Amino acid sequence: MGHSGLAVCKYGGSVLRSDDDFALVVHDLYRRVRRGQRVVAVVSALAGTTDRLLNRARFDGVEQDPHAVAGLVETGEVESVAMLRLALDRVGVPSEALDVGAISLRSVGEPLNATPIDVDLKRIHRVLEEKCVLVIPGFVGRDQGDRPTLFGRGGSDLTALFLAGQLGADHCRLIKDVDGLYERDPARPGPAPRRYDTMRWDDVLHLDGSIVQHKAVRFAREQVISFDVGELLTEGGTRVGPGSSEYASPRWPNRPLRIVLLGFGTVGQGVYRFAERLSDRLVVVRIATRDLEKAERAGAATSLLTDDVFDAVASNCDVVVEAIGGLDPARAAIESALHMGRHVVTANKAVVARYGPELHRAAERGKAKLRYSAAVGGGTPILEAVQRIAGESSIESIRAVLNGTTNVVLDCVSEGKSVDTAIREAKAAGFAEADPHDDLNGLDAAHKLTLLWHAWTGRWSVPACVDCAGASLERLTVLQSDSHEHEVIRQVAQLRRDGDVIHARVRLERLQPEDPLAGIRREQNAAVIRTIDGDSHVVRGRGAGRFPTAEAVVADLLDCADDVPDPVESMEFSVARPSIVPAQAVTC
Ligand code: NDP
Ligand code: HSE
């Protein structure tokens, strides 16, 4: 689907120190996926696991069958694969995990120091046609007799480079706990060592082999594979390849991005939880919400809390995350922040759909960024896919399921539950809007269509009134009355170009099972983007809920963090409190 390259990324034991670190790996993968990359993620066991398992395999005075040892040791990698798959699924990144048997990763040589020689590339490509991420265990293979083998210490580097070479990947990145290769171990005492910007394979072989496995480097040199060594959540690092070895110019490490959170509900709490684990990149400095005690009970630090949104916006920060929803005071808070030069990340499609041009003008004036990836599709990067595809060819139509609450209600009703019970279920899951009727009558999807239209054309003017007449629950009764058992009813949002006219509508439709939107359940969202040359691109994922939505917000924040200015003096602003603007009717 309009993807921009295949990457092989290796996540080693230095970045996988505990179960919490899988969420950080997901942040890294999610940012790649939303840029349109397909990724093969090669993972090692959690730090210390391989040594522990090797010790367990040792029985005094007995010579062990090395394949049996390899069989025990590989359980460490297998566990990491399963954990990463679960963490990806939590935020809805479409992924698959395959073990080395399933991809026939063949090796030769000593069972505990083997070398990969072959792999089932067709199987890998088949998975990547459907899924954005394929997770594979590093370090382990199978010999000709299908017995487990290991690739020697640091062997996950070799797995990654081998797969990158076989797949002809566009990028191969070995992700470590350092931001590149240094002339000496930067953790050792003494003067700060210099980091390399680029390095020849041969020169890497003079470094300690525990940083990048020497066998892997020799393999890369033989196969002429260039690769990067760097840390999580960044793109920089050291490029290893055929060129010369050059030092990088010194730079100050970026300080963490200071965030003000407006709202501490489903989305706000998810962002807070993720930020706590990313403390070297993101720090929450203030939280504004209505009910401070409720926020404390939900885990917010008391010292950060205020019930004054504008006071929070005025505090010393780089970014304001707006997660209160609705038009007021969201609009005024966003505009104030942008005017003051603070970046704004919001999940609020209502306010962006209604005031998009005004908010973008405020961002331009304040030289600040306005980001709202989460506003459409939650954790499903639909806006980014539309923008990318529109940049490559001419879009003809977008058909999408964009509202999780409606999915829940439709499924509950088809199971015989009442609409009220269904709405309670969607609310309890954190999917529903403040007024769930906005979900059911198509208004929420209409807002999302407005943002999709902007991603498609770069223009704000809504093509025509979004027609939501067919989204009502009364229509559900009509559709249900003569639908067949295999058909499924979904709320379908559509933008369709007809000459110079764009038709925009949201309505309940009866879908045949082969329709790519028919299988979308609960908080899942999907969009089918068709181009005039007949291509059809499908984007799927979790469109609502705490962690998928927070994942998209965090990705926007990390984009802002990439160019956070270097340390600055505190600047306090006083904010003019706006008068309340009455909410205006939106597109339907
Ligand atoms: P919640 O209702 O769970 O949270 C909203 C939070 O904002 C609550 O803490 C609420 O306080 C607070 N709040 C509301 N109004 C004010 C105010 N005037 N001043 C201070 N605090 C206020 O909503 P969500 O987190 O679900 O949604 C937030 C935004 O994200 C919405 O725009 C929504 O459309 C969007 N979104 C939500 C998704 C989801 O799955 N939930 C997915 C994608 C986008 P109190 O608790 O007192 O009500
Ligand atoms: N209320 C929305 C839904 C939240 O149910 O899909 C995600 O935008």
Side-chain angles (χ1 to χ4, degrees):
M1 62 122 247
H3 35 98
S4 58
L6 172 64
V8 176
C9 294
K10 177 244 157 170
Y11 301 93
S14 67
V15 291
L16 293 173
R17 288 147 309 183
S18 75
D19 283 354
D20 288 337
D21 293 330
F22 290 103
L24 305 186
V25 172
V26 171
H27 297 324
D28 192 81
L29 286 166
Y30 181 81
R31 290 179 87 201
R32 295 176 191 285
V33 166
R34 82 173 194 167
R35 284 202 300 264
Q37 281 184 351
R38 296 277 149 145
V39 190
V40 175
V42 174
V43 290
S44 305
L46 283 181
T49 304
T50 302
D51 284 337
R52 188 173 47 77
L53 291 170
L54 280 168
N55 277 334
R56 284 180 73 192
R58 212 169 275 143
F59 299 115
D60 286 345
V62 181
E63 197 174 318
Q64 304 293 149
D65 173 354
H67 296 292
V69 174
L72 176 65
V73 171
E74 81 167 317
T75 60
E77 271 66 22
V78 169
E79 188 181 58
S80 285
V81 166
M83 287 300 293
L84 180 55
R85 248 298 268 141
L86 286 167
L88 285 162
D89 191 46
R90 178 169 76 151
V91 301
V93 174
S95 65
E96 187 65 83
L98 293 177
D99 63 26
V100 286
I103 56 167
S104 305
L105 184 54
R106 295 276 162 236
S107 65
V108 291
E110 291 289 313
L112 299 184
N113 191 16
T115 302
I117 53 158
D118 195 21
V119 66
D120 183 350
L121 293 175
K122 277 196 193 132
R123 182 78 197 267
I124 295 178
H125 284 303
R126 264 204 314 277
V127 171
L128 291 173
E129 272 166 28
E130 289 287 315
K131 308 286 169 135
C132 304
V133 177
L134 169 61
V135 190
I136 285 177
F139 182 45
V140 296
R142 292 283 180 272
D143 72 3
Q144 299 304 323
D146 253 343
R147 294 173 301 181
T149 58
L150 303 179
F151 299 158
R153 275 279 153 192
S156 296
D157 289 344
L158 182 56
T159 305
L161 287 164
F162 174 73
L163 290 175
Q166 294 283 305
L167 289 161
D170 303 281
H171 315 277
C172 180
R173 186 168 174 84
L174 308 181
I175 296 166
K176 315 265 176 184
D177 61 350
V178 282
D179 60 348
L181 296 172
Y182 283 78
E183 54 185 347
R184 277 178 291 103
D185 182 351
R188 292 227 180 104
R194 286 170 296 179
R195 182 173 66 83
Y196 287 97
D197 186 36
T198 56
M199 249 185 133
R200 277 180 74 77
W201 296 298
D202 290 339
D203 291 337
V204 181
L205 293 173
H206 293 120
L207 299 177
D208 178 352
S210 66
I211 302 169
V212 184
Q213 191 201 39
H214 282 182
K215 189 159 91 169
V217 178
R218 282 193 294 271
F219 174 84
R221 183 180 59 189
E222 274 158 35
Q223 302 291 318
V224 198
I225 300 168
S226 297
F227 61 94
D228 295 323
V229 179
E231 59 186 347
L232 267 178
L233 303 170
T234 63
E235 280 312 305
T238 302
R239 180 96 182 133
V240 179
S244 56
S245 296
E246 308 284 346
Y247 291 114
S249 14
R251 64 172 173 81
W252 298 109
N254 284 358
R255 62 168 171 74
L257 197 72
R258 296 161 306 186
I259 300 165
V260 161
L261 265 183
L262 307 182
F264 203 67
T266 302
V267 179
Q269 285 177 43
V271 175
Y272 187 65
R273 294 263 290 274
F274 279 152
E276 280 181 317
R277 306 251 171 248
L278 284 164
S279 54
D280 55 336
R281 307 293 302 272
L282 309 176
V283 54
V284 176
V285 296
R286 207 95 172 105
I287 301 170
T289 184
R290 277 195 294 229
D291 184 338
L292 304 190
E293 279 175 20
K294 186 168 137 193
E296 270 182 72
R297 283 197 302 278
T302 313
S303 59
L304 301 181
L305 287 167
T306 173
D307 57 5
D308 186 330
V309 167
F310 295 95
D311 182 48
V313 167
S315 47
N316 193 12
C317 68
D318 304 299
V319 188
V320 171
V321 173
E322 186 276 302
I324 52 184
L327 299 182
D328 293 302
R331 176 202 178 180
I334 294 173
E335 280 189 337
S336 297
L338 292 169
H339 279 138
M340 285 187 278
R342 280 100 164 89
H343 306 309
V344 170
V345 176
T346 177
N348 185 341
K349 52 266 165 169
V351 80
V352 183
R354 177 69 185 83
Y355 297 113
E358 291 86 344
L359 300 183
H360 273 84
R361 272 199 298 278
E364 265 171 39
R365 271 204 297 276
K367 297 192 174 48
K369 293 176 183 165
L370 170 65
R371 293 286 159 93
Y372 45 86
S373 178
V376 181
T380 316
I382 302 178
L383 283 172
E384 290 79 2
V386 166
Q387 223 161 15
R388 194 166 49 249
I389 294 164
E392 290 162 3
S393 84
S394 191
I395 294 179
E396 187 179 64
S397 68
I398 301 170
R399 257 182 97 239
V401 167
L402 296 174
N403 190 271
T405 299
T406 307
N407 292 342
V408 171
V409 170
L410 292 173
D411 289 343
C412 285
V413 168
S414 75
E415 287 161 14
K417 294 183 193 163
S418 73
V419 171
D420 285 347
T421 307
I423 290 177
R424 272 200 298 279
E425 211 171 285
K427 272 185 157 177
F431 305 153
E433 292 304 302
D435 178 357
H437 293 103
D438 292 351
D439 295 290
L440 300 177
N441 65 19
L443 184 62
D444 180 70
H447 291 147
K448 291 167 178 168
L449 279 186
T450 307
L451 304 197
L452 284 171
W453 162 250
H454 179 254
W456 174 357
T457 63
R459 282 184 276 143
W460 276 112
S461 55
V462 182
C465 181
V466 181
D467 171 10
C468 298
S472 70
L473 286 181
E474 289 73 51
R475 181 170 157 81
L476 176 62
T477 320
V478 176
L479 289 176
Q480 268 180 326
S481 62
D482 66 341
S483 77
H484 294 105
E485 210 177 286
H486 62 275
E487 290 172 336
V488 51
I489 299 171
R490 293 293 93 170
Q491 186 198 72
V492 177
Q494 177 169 305
L495 286 173
R496 186 172 53 82
R497 185 194 289 276
D498 186 3
D500 287 341
V501 183
I502 303 282
H503 299 280
R505 75 167 187 220
V506 181
R507 64 173 199 165
L508 292 176
E509 289 183 15
R510 225 177 3 230
L511 305 178
Q512 298 300 314
E514 60 276 14
D515 189 314
L517 300 181
I520 300 307
R521 294 284 184 275
R522 285 186 64 81
E523 77 272 36
Q524 282 183 331
N525 279 191
V528 182
I529 305 152
R530 278 185 214 285
T531 60
I532 50 168
D533 31 20
D535 286 340
S536 191
H537 308 269
V538 183
V539 197
R540 282 194 197 86
R542 290 193 199 267
R546 171 163 300 158
F547 292 109
T549 312
E551 188 67 44
V553 171
V554 164
D556 281 349
L557 287 170
L558 291 171
D559 282 356
C560 296
D562 282 345
D563 51 13
V564 63
D566 265 338
V568 275
E569 319 62 65
S570 310
M571 290 183 292
E572 295 296 338
F573 290 84
S574 67
V575 192
R577 258 153 236 275
S579 54
I580 300 296
V581 181
Q584 296 188 29
V586 201
T587 35
C588 32

